mmCIF file with all atom_site columns, all heavy atoms in Angstrom:
data_model
loop_
_atom_site.group_PDB
_atom_site.id
_atom_site.type_symbol
_atom_site.label_atom_id
_atom_site.label_alt_id
_atom_site.label_comp_id
_atom_site.label_asym_id
_atom_site.label_entity_id
_atom_site.label_seq_id
_atom_site.pdbx_PDB_ins_code
_atom_site.Cartn_x
_atom_site.Cartn_y
_atom_site.Cartn_z
_atom_site.occupancy
_atom_site.B_iso_or_equiv
_atom_site.pdbx_formal_charge
_atom_site.auth_seq_id
_atom_site.auth_comp_id
_atom_site.auth_asym_id
_atom_site.auth_atom_id
_atom_site.pdbx_PDB_model_num
ATOM 1   N N   . ASN A 1 5   ? 148.116 122.059 -24.726 1.00 0.00 ? 5   ASN A N   1
ATOM 2   C CA  . ASN A 1 5   ? 146.895 122.744 -25.134 1.00 0.00 ? 5   ASN A CA  1
ATOM 3   C C   . ASN A 1 5   ? 147.266 124.078 -25.755 1.00 0.00 ? 5   ASN A C   1
ATOM 4   O O   . ASN A 1 5   ? 148.263 124.685 -25.381 1.00 0.00 ? 5   ASN A O   1
ATOM 5   C CB  . ASN A 1 5   ? 145.984 122.973 -23.931 1.00 0.00 ? 5   ASN A CB  1
ATOM 6   C CG  . ASN A 1 5   ? 145.434 121.689 -23.398 1.00 0.00 ? 5   ASN A CG  1
ATOM 7   O OD1 . ASN A 1 5   ? 144.721 120.988 -24.091 1.00 0.00 ? 5   ASN A OD1 1
ATOM 8   N ND2 . ASN A 1 5   ? 145.789 121.355 -22.174 1.00 0.00 ? 5   ASN A ND2 1
ATOM 9   N N   . TYR A 1 59  ? 115.126 146.792 -27.025 1.00 0.00 ? 59  TYR A N   1
ATOM 10  C CA  . TYR A 1 59  ? 115.209 145.356 -26.770 1.00 0.00 ? 59  TYR A CA  1
ATOM 11  C C   . TYR A 1 59  ? 114.883 144.548 -28.023 1.00 0.00 ? 59  TYR A C   1
ATOM 12  O O   . TYR A 1 59  ? 115.550 143.560 -28.320 1.00 0.00 ? 59  TYR A O   1
ATOM 13  C CB  . TYR A 1 59  ? 114.291 144.937 -25.607 1.00 0.00 ? 59  TYR A CB  1
ATOM 14  C CG  . TYR A 1 59  ? 114.337 143.450 -25.390 1.00 0.00 ? 59  TYR A CG  1
ATOM 15  C CD1 . TYR A 1 59  ? 115.461 142.855 -24.817 1.00 0.00 ? 59  TYR A CD1 1
ATOM 16  C CD2 . TYR A 1 59  ? 113.289 142.630 -25.802 1.00 0.00 ? 59  TYR A CD2 1
ATOM 17  C CE1 . TYR A 1 59  ? 115.535 141.484 -24.640 1.00 0.00 ? 59  TYR A CE1 1
ATOM 18  C CE2 . TYR A 1 59  ? 113.356 141.261 -25.627 1.00 0.00 ? 59  TYR A CE2 1
ATOM 19  C CZ  . TYR A 1 59  ? 114.474 140.690 -25.049 1.00 0.00 ? 59  TYR A CZ  1
ATOM 20  O OH  . TYR A 1 59  ? 114.547 139.326 -24.887 1.00 0.00 ? 59  TYR A OH  1
ATOM 21  N N   . TRP A 1 86  ? 123.829 127.921 -21.262 1.00 0.00 ? 86  TRP A N   1
ATOM 22  C CA  . TRP A 1 86  ? 123.426 129.296 -21.535 1.00 0.00 ? 86  TRP A CA  1
ATOM 23  C C   . TRP A 1 86  ? 122.956 129.940 -20.235 1.00 0.00 ? 86  TRP A C   1
ATOM 24  O O   . TRP A 1 86  ? 121.869 129.652 -19.745 1.00 0.00 ? 86  TRP A O   1
ATOM 25  C CB  . TRP A 1 86  ? 122.311 129.257 -22.583 1.00 0.00 ? 86  TRP A CB  1
ATOM 26  C CG  . TRP A 1 86  ? 121.833 130.557 -23.112 1.00 0.00 ? 86  TRP A CG  1
ATOM 27  C CD1 . TRP A 1 86  ? 120.613 131.135 -22.888 1.00 0.00 ? 86  TRP A CD1 1
ATOM 28  C CD2 . TRP A 1 86  ? 122.527 131.444 -23.994 1.00 0.00 ? 86  TRP A CD2 1
ATOM 29  N NE1 . TRP A 1 86  ? 120.523 132.318 -23.570 1.00 0.00 ? 86  TRP A NE1 1
ATOM 30  C CE2 . TRP A 1 86  ? 121.681 132.536 -24.255 1.00 0.00 ? 86  TRP A CE2 1
ATOM 31  C CE3 . TRP A 1 86  ? 123.784 131.426 -24.579 1.00 0.00 ? 86  TRP A CE3 1
ATOM 32  C CZ2 . TRP A 1 86  ? 122.045 133.591 -25.081 1.00 0.00 ? 86  TRP A CZ2 1
ATOM 33  C CZ3 . TRP A 1 86  ? 124.148 132.467 -25.404 1.00 0.00 ? 86  TRP A CZ3 1
ATOM 34  C CH2 . TRP A 1 86  ? 123.287 133.538 -25.650 1.00 0.00 ? 86  TRP A CH2 1
ATOM 35  N N   . PHE A 1 93  ? 113.430 146.047 -15.983 1.00 0.00 ? 93  PHE A N   1
ATOM 36  C CA  . PHE A 1 93  ? 113.729 147.441 -16.281 1.00 0.00 ? 93  PHE A CA  1
ATOM 37  C C   . PHE A 1 93  ? 112.520 148.258 -15.878 1.00 0.00 ? 93  PHE A C   1
ATOM 38  O O   . PHE A 1 93  ? 111.493 148.218 -16.576 1.00 0.00 ? 93  PHE A O   1
ATOM 39  C CB  . PHE A 1 93  ? 114.041 147.645 -17.766 1.00 0.00 ? 93  PHE A CB  1
ATOM 40  C CG  . PHE A 1 93  ? 115.382 147.126 -18.174 1.00 0.00 ? 93  PHE A CG  1
ATOM 41  C CD1 . PHE A 1 93  ? 115.557 145.812 -18.539 1.00 0.00 ? 93  PHE A CD1 1
ATOM 42  C CD2 . PHE A 1 93  ? 116.492 147.964 -18.154 1.00 0.00 ? 93  PHE A CD2 1
ATOM 43  C CE1 . PHE A 1 93  ? 116.799 145.332 -18.903 1.00 0.00 ? 93  PHE A CE1 1
ATOM 44  C CE2 . PHE A 1 93  ? 117.730 147.495 -18.521 1.00 0.00 ? 93  PHE A CE2 1
ATOM 45  C CZ  . PHE A 1 93  ? 117.891 146.170 -18.889 1.00 0.00 ? 93  PHE A CZ  1
ATOM 46  N N   . LEU A 1 98  ? 112.003 141.919 -19.072 1.00 0.00 ? 98  LEU A N   1
ATOM 47  C CA  . LEU A 1 98  ? 112.401 141.474 -20.407 1.00 0.00 ? 98  LEU A CA  1
ATOM 48  C C   . LEU A 1 98  ? 112.490 139.946 -20.410 1.00 0.00 ? 98  LEU A C   1
ATOM 49  O O   . LEU A 1 98  ? 113.175 139.361 -19.577 1.00 0.00 ? 98  LEU A O   1
ATOM 50  C CB  . LEU A 1 98  ? 113.736 142.081 -20.804 1.00 0.00 ? 98  LEU A CB  1
ATOM 51  C CG  . LEU A 1 98  ? 113.760 143.602 -20.886 1.00 0.00 ? 98  LEU A CG  1
ATOM 52  C CD1 . LEU A 1 98  ? 115.139 144.081 -21.301 1.00 0.00 ? 98  LEU A CD1 1
ATOM 53  C CD2 . LEU A 1 98  ? 112.707 144.121 -21.849 1.00 0.00 ? 98  LEU A CD2 1
ATOM 54  N N   . SER A 1 110 ? 113.976 126.768 -32.318 1.00 0.00 ? 110 SER A N   1
ATOM 55  C CA  . SER A 1 110 ? 113.871 126.954 -33.773 1.00 0.00 ? 110 SER A CA  1
ATOM 56  C C   . SER A 1 110 ? 115.143 126.509 -34.493 1.00 0.00 ? 110 SER A C   1
ATOM 57  O O   . SER A 1 110 ? 115.111 126.205 -35.680 1.00 0.00 ? 110 SER A O   1
ATOM 58  C CB  . SER A 1 110 ? 113.559 128.423 -34.110 1.00 0.00 ? 110 SER A CB  1
ATOM 59  O OG  . SER A 1 110 ? 114.711 129.237 -33.985 1.00 0.00 ? 110 SER A OG  1
ATOM 60  N N   . TYR A 1 115 ? 116.186 121.004 -25.153 1.00 0.00 ? 115 TYR A N   1
ATOM 61  C CA  . TYR A 1 115 ? 116.378 121.419 -23.767 1.00 0.00 ? 115 TYR A CA  1
ATOM 62  C C   . TYR A 1 115 ? 116.623 120.179 -22.907 1.00 0.00 ? 115 TYR A C   1
ATOM 63  O O   . TYR A 1 115 ? 115.902 119.186 -23.008 1.00 0.00 ? 115 TYR A O   1
ATOM 64  C CB  . TYR A 1 115 ? 115.147 122.182 -23.261 1.00 0.00 ? 115 TYR A CB  1
ATOM 65  C CG  . TYR A 1 115 ? 115.156 122.409 -21.784 1.00 0.00 ? 115 TYR A CG  1
ATOM 66  C CD1 . TYR A 1 115 ? 115.948 123.407 -21.222 1.00 0.00 ? 115 TYR A CD1 1
ATOM 67  C CD2 . TYR A 1 115 ? 114.393 121.610 -20.937 1.00 0.00 ? 115 TYR A CD2 1
ATOM 68  C CE1 . TYR A 1 115 ? 115.974 123.611 -19.849 1.00 0.00 ? 115 TYR A CE1 1
ATOM 69  C CE2 . TYR A 1 115 ? 114.409 121.810 -19.569 1.00 0.00 ? 115 TYR A CE2 1
ATOM 70  C CZ  . TYR A 1 115 ? 115.201 122.805 -19.038 1.00 0.00 ? 115 TYR A CZ  1
ATOM 71  O OH  . TYR A 1 115 ? 115.231 122.994 -17.676 1.00 0.00 ? 115 TYR A OH  1
ATOM 72  N N   . THR A 1 118 ? 117.837 122.695 -16.258 1.00 0.00 ? 118 THR A N   1
ATOM 73  C CA  . THR A 1 118 ? 118.276 123.996 -15.768 1.00 0.00 ? 118 THR A CA  1
ATOM 74  C C   . THR A 1 118 ? 119.089 123.798 -14.497 1.00 0.00 ? 118 THR A C   1
ATOM 75  O O   . THR A 1 118 ? 118.612 123.185 -13.544 1.00 0.00 ? 118 THR A O   1
ATOM 76  C CB  . THR A 1 118 ? 117.071 124.911 -15.460 1.00 0.00 ? 118 THR A CB  1
ATOM 77  O OG1 . THR A 1 118 ? 116.292 125.069 -16.656 1.00 0.00 ? 118 THR A OG1 1
ATOM 78  C CG2 . THR A 1 118 ? 117.523 126.273 -14.968 1.00 0.00 ? 118 THR A CG2 1
ATOM 79  N N   . LEU A 1 138 ? 108.475 135.388 1.285   1.00 0.00 ? 138 LEU A N   1
ATOM 80  C CA  . LEU A 1 138 ? 109.280 134.850 0.186   1.00 0.00 ? 138 LEU A CA  1
ATOM 81  C C   . LEU A 1 138 ? 110.089 135.957 -0.470  1.00 0.00 ? 138 LEU A C   1
ATOM 82  O O   . LEU A 1 138 ? 109.686 137.129 -0.452  1.00 0.00 ? 138 LEU A O   1
ATOM 83  C CB  . LEU A 1 138 ? 108.378 134.195 -0.865  1.00 0.00 ? 138 LEU A CB  1
ATOM 84  C CG  . LEU A 1 138 ? 107.586 132.979 -0.418  1.00 0.00 ? 138 LEU A CG  1
ATOM 85  C CD1 . LEU A 1 138 ? 106.645 132.525 -1.529  1.00 0.00 ? 138 LEU A CD1 1
ATOM 86  C CD2 . LEU A 1 138 ? 108.518 131.849 -0.015  1.00 0.00 ? 138 LEU A CD2 1
ATOM 87  N N   . PHE A 1 144 ? 114.758 131.969 -6.969  1.00 0.00 ? 144 PHE A N   1
ATOM 88  C CA  . PHE A 1 144 ? 115.329 131.864 -5.636  1.00 0.00 ? 144 PHE A CA  1
ATOM 89  C C   . PHE A 1 144 ? 115.210 130.434 -5.131  1.00 0.00 ? 144 PHE A C   1
ATOM 90  O O   . PHE A 1 144 ? 114.389 129.643 -5.602  1.00 0.00 ? 144 PHE A O   1
ATOM 91  C CB  . PHE A 1 144 ? 114.671 132.848 -4.668  1.00 0.00 ? 144 PHE A CB  1
ATOM 92  C CG  . PHE A 1 144 ? 113.187 132.650 -4.518  1.00 0.00 ? 144 PHE A CG  1
ATOM 93  C CD1 . PHE A 1 144 ? 112.676 131.766 -3.575  1.00 0.00 ? 144 PHE A CD1 1
ATOM 94  C CD2 . PHE A 1 144 ? 112.303 133.354 -5.309  1.00 0.00 ? 144 PHE A CD2 1
ATOM 95  C CE1 . PHE A 1 144 ? 111.307 131.588 -3.433  1.00 0.00 ? 144 PHE A CE1 1
ATOM 96  C CE2 . PHE A 1 144 ? 110.920 133.178 -5.183  1.00 0.00 ? 144 PHE A CE2 1
ATOM 97  C CZ  . PHE A 1 144 ? 110.427 132.297 -4.236  1.00 0.00 ? 144 PHE A CZ  1
ATOM 98  N N   . TRP A 1 165 ? 121.381 122.859 -23.088 1.00 0.00 ? 165 TRP A N   1
ATOM 99  C CA  . TRP A 1 165 ? 120.786 122.491 -24.372 1.00 0.00 ? 165 TRP A CA  1
ATOM 100 C C   . TRP A 1 165 ? 121.710 121.534 -25.097 1.00 0.00 ? 165 TRP A C   1
ATOM 101 O O   . TRP A 1 165 ? 122.920 121.644 -24.972 1.00 0.00 ? 165 TRP A O   1
ATOM 102 C CB  . TRP A 1 165 ? 120.586 123.735 -25.236 1.00 0.00 ? 165 TRP A CB  1
ATOM 103 C CG  . TRP A 1 165 ? 119.536 124.671 -24.700 1.00 0.00 ? 165 TRP A CG  1
ATOM 104 C CD1 . TRP A 1 165 ? 119.710 125.639 -23.775 1.00 0.00 ? 165 TRP A CD1 1
ATOM 105 C CD2 . TRP A 1 165 ? 118.162 124.692 -25.065 1.00 0.00 ? 165 TRP A CD2 1
ATOM 106 N NE1 . TRP A 1 165 ? 118.515 126.277 -23.545 1.00 0.00 ? 165 TRP A NE1 1
ATOM 107 C CE2 . TRP A 1 165 ? 117.548 125.715 -24.313 1.00 0.00 ? 165 TRP A CE2 1
ATOM 108 C CE3 . TRP A 1 165 ? 117.383 123.941 -25.956 1.00 0.00 ? 165 TRP A CE3 1
ATOM 109 C CZ2 . TRP A 1 165 ? 116.196 126.017 -24.431 1.00 0.00 ? 165 TRP A CZ2 1
ATOM 110 C CZ3 . TRP A 1 165 ? 116.051 124.251 -26.065 1.00 0.00 ? 165 TRP A CZ3 1
ATOM 111 C CH2 . TRP A 1 165 ? 115.465 125.264 -25.319 1.00 0.00 ? 165 TRP A CH2 1
#
Side-chain angles (χ1 to χ4, degrees):
N5 292 298
Y59 178 73
W86 186 249
F93 286 86
L98 298 180
S110 77
Y115 169 78
T118 302
L138 296 175
F144 59 88
W165 292 85

